[in-house]
Amino acid sequence: MKKKLLGLVACAATLALSGALLAGCAGSGSNDEAADNNAASTDKTTLTVGFDQSYPPYGFVGDDGKYTGFDLDLAQAVCDKNGWSFEATPIDWDAKDALLSQGNINCIWNGFTMEGREDGYTFSDPYMLNEQVVVVKAGSDISDFAGLSGKTVMTQVDSAALDVLEGDQAEVAATFKGGAAQTIGDYNNAFMQLDSGMIDAVACDLSIAQYQISANPGKYVQLETPLSTEHYAVGFKKGNTELANQVTETLKQLDADGTVKKLCEKYASYGISYDNWVLGK
């Protein structure tokens, strides 16, 4: 009898130990699964967009103090579509290359002209038509490029307009006062100087001109002939083809489902037009 009782006790102890081991294994599996989930969330793509916060309507500070703009909304929509995190990072425009190279941002999305920059970046497909134009005050005697001779013309440092004035339109720029365009850190201040009479003209992107003309009725006019015609695209670090292609394909999807047109309508009063959208058309 004692032997039987001892046998039963031993069996019970064995079963208890086995149960504990099984429970331990189950607990270990749960912990592994949680770790996997944490790793998956850590691996989630973050689109860190470098933009000029003084570049309406593509990127600027809204009346509520928050960053807003057509390109930022477009970038947010791309992230939402892909399940990515979105981070808008205001930058000094002339520091954009260093920030991209160092990984502080992983794209430049801010009315970014691709022509002439192809060797320095990997670009998405172009999505918006753009031009470089000249804006003067209403009532000015300047009506064409010849009228800019001896005048003070300003543009943003490291801008597409400056590239054009130092390249294809260098002969025009040579007629400006001082033999070249003056530069400034942002277009808002350039237009403040134009308004005050400190300068005679601003060379800028079509979108900037349309925004300033729309926001200040009767104050500015745009010269009819553009300095150049070009396109906007999203710029990535050279070689980051995978992310560039993902953004391109997502933009096509957003155009197909009507999101792009709605955003163009949202910013229509700022000079954005769906007619200038080129991707997928």
Side-chain angles (χ1 to χ4, degrees):
M1 178 66 69
K2 287 182 179 180
K3 288 182 179 180
K4 289 182 178 179
L5 288 172
L6 289 172
L8 290 171
V9 171
C11 287
T14 300
L15 288 171
L17 179 60
S18 299
L21 289 172
L22 288 172
C25 290
S28 175
S30 298
N31 290 337
D32 290 344
E33 184 177 351
D36 289 342
N37 289 336
N38 287 336
S41 62
T42 303
D43 291 341
K44 184 177 182 180
T45 296
T46 297
L47 195 67
T48 307
V49 174
F51 74 102
D52 179 351
Q53 64 179 327
S54 301
Y55 201 77
Y58 286 88
F60 60 102
V61 180
D63 294 337
D64 59 359
K66 296 180 180 179
Y67 299 130
T68 188
F70 177 77
D71 274 352
L72 294 185
D73 283 4
L74 202 56
Q76 179 70 71
V78 166
C79 289
D80 291 343
K81 195 83 167 176
N82 288 294
W84 297 345
S85 296
F86 170 63
E87 184 176 338
T89 302
I91 61 173
D92 290 328
W93 194 243
D94 56 350
K96 61 185 180 299
D97 293 347
L99 294 171
L100 188 63
S101 177
Q102 294 163 4
N104 299 93
I105 57 175
N106 57 14
C107 72
I108 300 168
W109 198 335
N110 190 209
F112 194 38
T113 299
M114 66 181 295
E115 281 84 358
R117 292 178 168 138
E118 294 90 344
D119 291 340
Y121 307 87
T122 290
F123 281 101
S124 69
D125 286 1
Y127 62 91
M128 186 71 80
L129 178 68
N130 184 48
E131 293 177 330
Q132 297 304 319
V133 300
V134 177
V135 177
V136 298
K137 290 180 69 173
S140 169
D141 60 356
I142 302 170
S143 59
D144 54 22
F145 293 163
L148 294 171
S149 180
K151 305 296 185 181
T152 303
V153 182
M154 182 171 280
T155 190
Q156 187 182 39
V157 63
D158 202 28
S159 65
L162 183 60
D163 288 344
V164 171
L165 290 171
E166 291 179 339
D168 293 344
Q169 298 289 1
E171 290 185 5
V172 173
T175 70
F176 299 166
K177 184 176 181 180
Q182 294 188 14
T183 58
I184 196 168
D186 64 79
Y187 279 121
N188 285 341
N189 282 320
F191 275 91
M192 288 176 63
Q193 293 199 31
L194 178 61
D195 193 34
S196 69
M198 295 178 65
I199 63 174
D200 301 297
V202 175
C204 62
D205 291 71
L206 174 64
S207 57
I208 300 299
Q210 290 176 330
Y211 166 72
Q212 291 291 346
I213 291 170
S214 297
N216 302 281
K219 186 177 285 188
Y220 307 119
V221 294
Q222 175 186 317
L223 300 191
E224 184 176 350
T225 304
L227 291 166
S228 67
T229 298
E230 58 206 26
H231 298 86
Y232 286 157
V234 188
F236 300 86
K237 186 176 180 179
K238 194 70 175 176
N240 195 356
T241 306
E242 182 179 357
L243 190 55
N245 289 343
Q246 284 181 288
V247 168
T248 294
E249 290 308 310
T250 308
L251 286 174
K252 290 178 181 179
Q253 295 169 18
L254 291 171
D255 182 37
D257 68 17
T259 300
V260 168
K261 191 171 185 178
K262 288 179 181 177
L263 288 178
C264 289
E265 291 169 353
K266 176 181 177 180
Y267 289 95
S269 62
Y270 291 84
I272 296 289
S273 172
Y274 183 68
D275 290 340
N276 291 334
W277 182 268
V278 297
L279 185 60
K281 287 186 176 179

